[in-house]
Amino acid sequence: MSEQRTGRDGTDLDAGPPPGRFGRKKQEIVVAAVMLLGFLYLRIRLVEHVRGRRGAAYLDPDFWPGLLLNAGIVLALVYLVLAVIRARRPDPDLPAVPRKPVADAALAEEEDHHHDVALSGNPVALALGFLLLFGYIWGMTRIGFVPSTLLFSAGFLAFVGERRWYVITGFPVVLLGLMLYVFTRLLVVPLPRGRGFFVELSTYFY
Amino acid sequence: MDFLTGIGSVLEPMHLLLLVGGVIIGLIFGTIPGLSGITAVALLVPFSYVLGAEAAIIMMIGVYVATSTAGSLAGSLFNMPGDVMGAATARDGYPLTLQGQAGRAISMDITASAVGGLIGTLLLVMIAPQFLRIALRFGPPEFFALAILGMTSVASLAMGSLVKALLAGTFGLLMATVGLDPVSGAVRFVFGVQPLQGGIDFIPAIIGFFAVAEIFHALYYGTGSGGYTKEDIKKVPRFALPSLADLKWTWKTMIRASLIGNFIGMLPGAGSTVAAFLGYGTEVQISKDKSKFGKGEIRGVVAPESANNAAAAGSMVPLLTLGIPGGAVTAIMLGVFILNGLRPGPLLFRDAPEIASSVFGALFMASVVVLITGLLLVRVLLRLLTIPFEIFSTMVLVFAVIGTFAIFNRPIDLWIMLVCGVLGFFAKQYEFPVSALVLGLVLGDIAEIGLVNGLNVTRGSWSVFFTRPFTTGTMGIAFVLLLLPVFFAIRRKRNAETDEPVSEQLI
């Protein structure tokens, strides 16, 4: 077994995420506050978001959501208070967080909570990955399944680091062929055909 | 309902082929970190339209049983389990590998899993009919109490923060309220998006929470590729067979852990991960020499594996007899039953007894198939770890999108999957248990219908949830489960094992 393993970008997989500027404890406060505000907003505007006859039955349709939102507000408040208390406590002077092997992490997870380290990674990669998937879903209903899948597969492969041209061009075709066979022949699923010209294009395939 | 009839049904050529196919898919998805059995089972849902409920469930059981086994293979070899439940096995499996006994760890891992699955199935066959008798007397308050028990057990037994687990569960329950109210038909939380009136189906949500969120997580940290080499894989013998000495040494452990796992599996919300850690913990506690554990004790490999596979069988008890899924995989199976016009619960055993028999038969046969294929194909499976992230992430995303669309042919499901992928990413980032969120989403309707109908019948009296014997007992257990983490946190503080205040241990 190799002692040190590296990710596709050359990072040490056994090392933890690097410390961020905005500490983990502060991030927790923000998360708690956002949740609290979200639950509060929905609770206050509950009547607008539940449209139905009231008074027809013993319990109105907003009874259960109201109950859940009340519970959510209380829990988010507890979470916020605990997060603030924790943020105010001084940190043990620990430099960085070596990521534990999953086995240790699962058993002794609370140790990681002691460290005020932001879980920072690569938000640009995340955002681009999200946008690609967003574009695939958005495009599928407009240009149809075949072109959108080819474009997404090739684009995503290139985005995640594939540089061999025959893989970027060949793999999407193979994948598309497999998916078309399974979903249109075996499962007879009416896949999206797109609009206008793309409808005609799609009929060549399924 | 006949166990032998079920075995016979599974041995039909088509069913057997699907079971073996399911096992192989499960072994593949379980071995590769990030591709869980939940993802595999969810992506198979569209196939149920063609295969029918019985065949689809047989295939899914093959996947379920196989992933429970395969999740620990990479854990024992590289200390990087394919799923969290494999982490318990890695505690002793990895030290064995470091001592040059990888083959021993892997072979006992697979054997213990199969034994756990077999014992779990036999227990299921014995216990399910008893449950069925009780289930026939259930009314809305009992179903509400069971939903609450599921939510509290997933929050209490999940490793990590209790507050976050409860928040995740509440959020999941709230997500389940989107769309038409199941009692009055009122429209709730659609925010002007008309297709949302159909509600948030949990299968697209589960695909988002597990498959998409996992890829997002890998993109964010750049940890998609494991960096495993063929040399790493060669440490495992081509065919990993257990030794007679190890079997003799561990057979009691296997039985003990299977009993524990099966019981835990029956609790809605507890799941295989809890079973694996409890099986491991119990073995450590009763061992005369605790110091051996964590250093390559073979019983430390056997106990969690037997427990988590027995839990997989146990989780079928609430699903089949009550129609209450205890976790994500059984929730998807519930979805498959419903898609095919069947409703798990007491009536399933009356209306479609052959399906219940097939479930029993499939669980039993899947363990046998996992034992054979696992021992023979272990090195081939581990080679999967060398597949580049670029290839499998692209495949998973394309399959997730098409698989989600294929279930109901609704574009809104794709957006739900995407949003749940983002939510799942943040949940993982800030350590909110996704399992609690999913269980909330799955049990939301059951809980609401149980509560509202119960209160409607009693004209608003909550006493109905605390005066009937079953509801009182269930609510009592739920309450104890809820207090357990607080109790342990206070005890840890008193024992001065940690300097952290109690508040620190609850977040």
Side-chain angles (χ1 to χ4, degrees):
Chain A
M1 150 119 195
S2 55
E3 285 302 314
Q4 188 174 8
R5 295 173 305 105
T6 52
R8 62 194 163 78
D9 58 353
T11 53
D12 179 6
L13 288 181
D14 296 324
R21 286 181 194 168
F22 195 54
R24 171 61 185 248
K25 289 179 177 178
K26 286 178 187 163
Q27 287 185 25
E28 294 267 3
I29 294 174
V30 173
V31 172
V34 167
M35 292 190 88
L36 181 61
L37 286 173
F39 284 129
L40 271 172
Y41 167 80
L42 287 175
R43 186 68 190 90
I44 293 165
R45 311 283 291 263
L46 184 59
V47 180
E48 290 169 37
H49 292 297
V50 179
R51 290 183 201 157
R53 282 181 64 194
R54 287 180 173 74
Y58 185 78
L59 295 171
D60 287 334
D62 50 11
F63 170 74
W64 173 243
L67 208 65
L68 292 175
L69 287 168
N70 290 342
I73 290 165
V74 172
L75 286 167
L77 203 59
V78 172
Y79 175 29
L80 181 64
V81 170
L82 292 174
V84 170
I85 291 172
R86 208 178 64 168
R88 294 181 66 169
R89 288 186 65 245
D91 240 0
D93 192 18
L94 293 166
V97 187
R99 186 190 300 166
K100 291 171 185 305
V102 179
D104 293 344
L107 283 177
E109 205 171 346
E110 65 264 33
E111 282 179 35
D112 278 349
H113 292 234
H114 299 186
H115 303 228
D116 186 17
V117 173
L119 291 175
S120 56
N122 186 350
V124 178
L126 178 68
L128 283 174
F130 171 81
L131 283 175
L132 274 170
L133 191 56
F134 182 95
Y136 181 31
I137 294 170
W138 185 82
M140 192 183 278
T141 50
R142 282 157 182 82
I143 65 171
F145 171 71
V146 172
S148 61
T149 302
L150 281 175
L151 286 172
F152 171 76
S153 310
F156 193 80
L157 273 171
F159 164 65
V160 291
E162 182 57 63
R163 292 292 171 264
R164 291 166 293 181
W165 67 268
Y166 55 89
V167 176
I168 294 176
T169 52
F171 181 70
V173 174
V174 174
L175 186 62
L176 177 69
L178 181 74
M179 293 296 157
L180 277 179
Y181 178 74
V182 170
F183 284 91
T184 62
R185 300 294 158 108
L186 289 181
L187 302 180
V188 203
V189 172
L191 294 172
R193 291 172 184 269
R195 296 171 186 172
F197 159 78
F198 294 103
V199 178
E200 288 178 37
L201 180 73
S202 296
T203 50
Y204 285 108
F205 296 97
Y206 51 92
Chain B
M1 183 185 69
D2 184 355
F3 178 52
L4 292 178
T5 310
I7 298 271
S9 168
V10 175
L11 287 176
E12 283 174 22
M14 185 60 186
H15 286 171
L16 191 60
L17 196 69
L18 288 170
L19 184 77
V20 173
V23 165
I24 290 171
I25 292 170
L27 289 172
I28 292 170
F29 272 67
T31 304
I32 299 173
L35 293 184
S36 64
I38 299 165
T39 305
V41 173
L43 293 179
L44 286 177
V45 172
F47 291 84
S48 75
Y49 286 121
V50 174
L51 297 172
E54 188 178 8
I57 291 288
I58 287 172
M59 192 176 188
M60 285 177 173
I61 285 174
V63 175
Y64 188 23
V65 172
T67 46
S68 300
T69 304
S72 53
L73 295 181
S76 289
L77 274 183
F78 309 117
N79 213 13
M80 293 294 280
D83 53 34
V84 186
M85 70 181 118
T89 313
R91 295 278 293 174
D92 279 283
Y94 185 58
L96 277 170
T97 299
L98 292 180
Q99 293 162 23
Q101 300 179 50
R104 187 179 171 217
I106 296 290
S107 63
M108 286 309 290
D109 174 333
I110 295 167
T111 308
S113 295
V115 171
L118 294 173
I119 293 175
T121 309
L122 294 176
L123 289 171
L124 169 71
V125 173
M126 288 188 277
I127 292 167
Q130 317 309 323
F131 248 73
L132 211 53
R133 282 186 202 142
I134 307 168
L136 284 166
R137 295 183 203 145
F138 277 15
E142 280 77 13
F143 281 102
F144 175 70
L146 276 170
I148 293 299
L149 176 65
M151 295 311 301
T152 49
S153 60
V154 77
S156 168
L157 301 175
M159 277 153 282
S161 156
L162 174 67
V163 177
K164 283 181 181 176
L166 289 172
L167 263 170
T170 307
F171 191 79
L173 289 169
L174 207 57
M175 278 177 75
T177 64
V178 172
L180 294 179
D181 171 11
V183 181
S184 72
V187 178
R188 302 186 297 196
F189 302 118
V190 295
F191 302 99
V193 182
Q194 291 308 312
L196 271 182
Q197 285 193 11
I200 296 177
D201 189 79
F202 54 76
I203 298 174
I206 285 172
I207 293 175
F209 281 131
F210 289 94
V212 178
E214 200 62 52
I215 302 289
F216 282 165
H217 195 262
L219 286 176
Y220 187 66
Y221 288 118
T223 55
S225 171
Y228 305 106
T229 62
K230 284 179 182 166
E231 282 65 41
D232 293 334
I233 312 300
K234 279 182 184 165
K235 283 182 301 188
V236 181
R238 198 173 293 274
F239 305 112
L241 297 174
S243 73
L244 209 58
D246 278 339
L247 290 175
K248 268 186 182 172
W249 173 237
T250 58
W251 70 272
K252 283 182 189 166
T253 303
M254 289 189 210
I255 294 174
R256 202 161 32 231
S258 300
L259 293 173
I260 294 167
N262 196 256
F263 174 73
I264 295 294
M266 283 189 276
L267 279 178
S272 297
T273 305
V274 176
F277 280 99
L278 213 62
Y280 182 86
T282 307
E283 205 53 37
V284 175
Q285 287 302 318
I286 64 170
S287 169
K288 286 176 187 162
D289 188 1
K290 295 181 180 62
S291 64
K292 284 183 181 173
F293 285 86
K295 294 172 187 164
E297 168 59 55
I298 197 70
R299 285 174 300 170
V301 173
V302 165
E305 282 308 303
S306 289
N308 73 35
N309 277 65
S315 68
M316 293 292 161
V317 173
L319 174 72
L320 291 176
T321 60
L322 302 168
I324 291 186
V329 174
T330 43
I332 297 165
M333 288 184 187
L334 174 70
V336 169
F337 278 116
I338 294 169
L339 283 174
N340 285 276
L342 297 163
R343 180 82 211 185
L347 294 181
L348 179 77
F349 289 81
R350 191 196 67 187
D351 299 338
E354 71 284 358
I355 302 265
S357 301
S358 293
V359 170
F360 298 155
L363 278 166
F364 191 87
M365 288 306 297
S367 297
V368 176
V369 175
V370 164
L371 180 68
I372 297 166
T373 51
L375 293 177
L376 296 182
L377 300 177
V378 63
R379 206 193 266 186
V380 179
L381 284 170
L382 292 169
R383 283 221 175 117
L384 294 168
L385 294 169
T386 60
I387 294 176
F389 171 74
E390 294 83 6
I391 300 292
F392 82 71
S393 61
T394 308
M395 273 182 73
V396 167
L397 284 181
V398 169
F399 210 93
V401 167
I402 305 169
T404 299
F405 182 81
I407 299 168
F408 300 114
N409 302 328
R410 293 186 311 195
I412 186 72
D413 289 333
L414 296 174
W415 297 114
I416 289 171
M417 179 200 75
L418 183 64
V419 171
C420 290
V422 175
L423 283 175
F425 167 79
F426 282 108
K428 190 167 182 174
Q429 179 84 341
Y430 291 102
E431 294 166 344
F432 287 86
V434 176
S435 53
L437 216 162
V438 168
L439 201 67
L441 179 60
V442 169
L443 295 181
D445 275 359
I446 295 170
E448 179 173 10
I449 293 169
L451 177 70
V452 172
N453 285 347
L455 287 177
N456 273 335
V457 168
T458 58
R459 308 304 290 169
S461 170
W462 287 79
S463 64
V464 69
F465 300 105
F466 303 100
T467 49
R468 294 156 74 115
F470 186 86
T471 51
T472 310
T474 310
M475 288 292 199
I477 295 170
F479 187 66
V480 170
L481 281 174
L482 205 57
L483 289 183
L484 269 183
V486 183
F487 170 75
F488 284 127
I490 292 170
R491 205 177 72 165
R492 270 204 300 270
K493 178 70 186 157
R494 280 201 182 149
N495 290 345
E497 286 172 3
T498 169
D499 292 333
E500 295 298 322
V502 173
S503 64
E504 196 78 6
Q505 295 168 37
L506 292 175
I507 186 171

